[in-house]
Amino acid sequence: MHFTFDGLQVRVVPVTPFRQNCSVLWNPETAETVVVDPGGDADVLAQFLGQNNLTVSAIILTHGHLDHAGGVAPLCRILAERQGKAPVVIGPDKRDEFLLSSIEKQAGHFGLSELENATADEYSEDGQVLDLIGRKLHVLHVPGHTPGHVVFIDHAAKIVFAGDTLFKGAVGRTDFAYADESLLLNSIREKLFSLDDGYIVVPGHGGHTTVGSERSGNPFFNAG
């Protein structure tokens, strides 16, 4: 999946056996790049970055699950050697720190050995604006799937990197001990459905959708 919006280049690369959507965002004028949710397959991501002569200045994470953050550490090592400097890692809300530090334990339950615990250089907060690659990425805290889940929005490009909050016809899982379905649904209504219909939603898994399509047709919000 490849998008071009308002000059922003976006390539979505599915990674790990969970086929998690890792998004690579770059400024075509400078080749400066942000990677969203490198959950694994660091070698595949590094190959794409190298083939396109992209320089990663930041890795940003929507939440702390293994399939979204398990590739952070190995990708940082590759990039530090290639670029001479590792990218800054910007985590989700700090309430997901316990998940980032337990990725290897999470992975063990699935027999995955290549995923590693992740460490954030800094954590993001609701309402924060990240000034990266010449873009402004707005942070919204959208908890419920995990306590510290955030989404990143580029309003100029009208695109939402939603992680595991809102999907095409579905929402994120809430069957974890720390999850809360009511909180997730309310968070989506209040935060994501406040956006215009035309905003593109890039979810953590599966195909992209729009805010308007989910507001009107998502069964979790239109039951009965």
Side-chain angles (χ1 to χ4, degrees), residues 198-211:
Y199 274 72
I200 298 292
V201 177
V202 179
H205 305 266
H208 64 282
T209 183
T210 65
V211 168

Side-chain angles (χ1 to χ4, degrees), residues 77-93:
R77 288 195 297 271
I78 295 171
L79 294 175
E81 182 175 353
R82 177 185 296 173
Q83 302 176 174
K85 181 181 179 181
V88 63
V89 178
I90 303 175
D93 180 281

Side-chain angles (χ1 to χ4, degrees), residues 14 27 41 60 82 112 114 124 126 132 150 152 178 181 205:
N27 182 328
D41 296 332
I60 60 177
R82 177 185 296 173
L112 301 174
E114 70 276 12
S124 53
D126 186 60
L132 299 169
V150 299
F152 302 103
Y178 48 77
E181 181 177 17
H205 305 266

Side-chain angles (χ1 to χ4, degrees), residues 63-81:
H63 64 293
H65 279 158
L66 76 165
D67 54 329
H68 290 255
V72 169
L75 183 59
C76 281
R77 288 195 297 271
I78 295 171
L79 294 175
E81 182 175 353

Side-chain angles (χ1 to χ4, degrees), residues 5 34 46 52 57 69 97 107 116 121 126 130 141 144 152 159 166-167 179-180 190 194 206 209-210 219:
F5 294 112
V34 169
N52 290 277
S57 57
E97 183 178 23
E116 301 179 26
D121 296 307
D126 186 60
L130 304 176
H141 181 218
F152 302 103
I159 188 168
L166 183 63
F167 296 94
D180 185 323
E190 293 173 6
S194 68
T209 183
T210 65

Side-chain angles (χ1 to χ4, degrees), residues 76-156:
C76 281
R77 288 195 297 271
I78 295 171
L79 294 175
E81 182 175 353
R82 177 185 296 173
Q83 302 176 174
K85 181 181 179 181
V88 63
V89 178
I90 303 175
D93 180 281
K94 191 174 176 64
R95 279 166 277 200
D96 265 18
E97 183 178 23
F98 77 102
L99 290 170
L100 294 175
S101 63
S102 64
I103 288 173
E104 291 169 13
K105 183 177 179 181
Q106 298 173 45
H109 295 304
F110 297 98
L112 301 174
S113 59
E114 70 276 12
L115 305 184
E116 301 179 26
N117 293 345
T119 301
D121 296 307
E122 58 188 81
Y123 289 91
S124 53
E125 297 180 355
D126 186 60
Q128 184 178 4
V129 180
L130 304 176
D131 192 352
L132 299 169
I133 65 171
R135 314 291 305 188
K136 294 191 181 300
L137 297 177
H138 294 251
V139 179
L140 292 180
H141 181 218
V142 185
H145 178 66
T146 68
H149 200 304
V150 299
V151 303
F152 302 103
I153 304 173
D154 185 322
H155 288 295

